[in-house]
Amino acid sequence: MFHSRLHSFSRLVISLSLSLVVAAGLAAFAGDARAQDKRQNAPGEFDFYVLALSWSPSFCEETAERGGRSHMQCGGRPYAFVVHGLWPQYENGFPEYCQRPAPRLNRNIVSSMLDLMPAPGLIFNEWDKHGTCSGLEGRSYFETIRKARAAIKIPAEYLDLSQAKTVAPAEVEEAFVKANPGLSNAAVSVTCNRTRLSEVRICLNKDLQFRACDELERRACRRDQVTMPPIRGG
């Protein structure tokens, strides 16, 4: 009898524990939902931009190592930093794919952007995922990308890199800060893979002025040193 009651009591405890776990999970889910920005994926409703500048030689070496097909930006033209994208951001998190399907992007716009974003696929993808969240129509969004890129001066030492260079992420940040009056370390960060520098990311407000952003630092490169492969043809 005692064992039977003990067994029943144990089952009750387990049942209550499971109920509490489920309730806690539901509460957490509800909390996450409340914490999610109320503007989630509403076009034009965001706090700032991130301009992502990709070090093209790193991208091309990684593509080759993965056995990927030849990419347009990995041909003969000596690309250095290219625009990966201009991304609307919240103070925490970011919107994406704010219109499905995305409004059709005029191919003349695509052609006009190839000097900064050297692949039609990249341009279409950035429009679908990020541009639709800007609240701008296609031409205005890509004009904004061009203005944002024009506002950034690339440090001289990275303009014509003819040999592989080993750098500290902080060193690259400092070079950009020094080359761009008004830019602070709180507004720029470097990303990397296991061995190479991948991108420099810069936070801008909607008027394309530099602004600090904690979100960037959470995704920054944590390695002491990384490599910048040389520019092709360098």
Side-chain angles (χ1 to χ4, degrees):
M1 177 71 71
F2 173 76
H3 289 294
S4 176
R5 288 180 179 177
L6 181 61
H7 183 66
S8 297
F9 178 73
S10 299
R11 289 177 61 188
L12 177 61
V13 169
I14 292 171
S15 178
L16 287 171
S17 298
L18 288 172
S19 297
L20 288 171
V21 168
V22 171
L26 290 173
F29 178 81
D32 287 344
R34 287 193 298 271
Q36 187 76 278
D37 197 294
K38 291 183 173 61
R39 301 164 295 173
Q40 185 67 28
N41 297 338
E45 298 293 328
F46 62 96
D47 298 312
F48 63 96
Y49 287 115
V50 166
L51 177 67
L53 301 174
S54 171
W55 183 245
S56 180
S58 291
F59 169 80
C60 291
E61 286 200 3
E62 290 161 23
T63 299
E65 287 174 356
R66 292 195 303 267
R69 63 181 182 178
S70 178
H71 196 275
M72 183 173 178
Q73 70 174 284
C74 303
R77 185 170 172 179
Y79 289 109
F81 278 108
V82 300
V83 175
H84 180 176
L86 183 68
W87 306 332
Q89 302 280 300
Y90 302 131
E91 295 297 345
N92 292 289
F94 54 89
E96 60 182 0
Y97 299 108
C98 294
Q99 296 183 64
R100 291 179 180 270
R104 185 178 179 84
L105 193 61
N106 189 298
R107 288 191 172 271
N108 290 333
I109 297 174
V110 177
S111 298
S112 74
M113 293 301 297
L114 289 173
D115 60 322
L116 297 184
M117 306 173 72
L122 169 64
I123 295 168
F124 281 115
N125 181 71
E126 290 301 303
W127 168 244
D128 290 351
K129 186 173 183 179
H130 301 289
T132 57
C133 298
S134 68
L136 303 172
E137 55 87 26
R139 188 169 299 278
S140 294
Y141 174 66
F142 286 99
E143 286 175 354
T144 301
I145 290 181
R146 188 168 291 280
K147 289 177 184 176
R149 174 61 185 85
I152 306 300
K153 183 176 181 181
I154 304 298
E157 56 264 45
Y158 307 136
L159 290 175
D160 189 21
L161 196 64
S162 60
Q163 296 182 335
K165 185 178 181 68
T166 299
V167 296
E171 171 190 343
V172 178
E173 286 187 21
E174 287 295 339
F176 271 82
V177 168
K178 185 177 179 180
N180 292 275
L183 180 64
S184 71
N185 293 93
V188 58
S189 74
V190 170
T191 66
C192 62
N193 67 2
R194 289 182 297 109
T195 59
R196 301 185 187 94
L197 182 142
S198 298
E199 293 188 342
V200 172
R201 296 177 177 177
I202 298 171
C203 291
L204 305 163
N205 64 26
K206 291 184 178 183
D207 294 326
L208 304 183
Q209 302 299 308
F210 301 130
R211 61 100 81 188
C213 52
D214 295 333
E215 184 80 0
L216 226 61
E217 185 57 32
R218 288 195 283 271
R219 289 174 273 170
C221 180
R222 303 300 179 196
R223 299 193 175 277
D224 293 332
Q225 291 187 319
V226 289
T227 300
M228 294 180 71
I231 295 171
R232 289 169 302 288

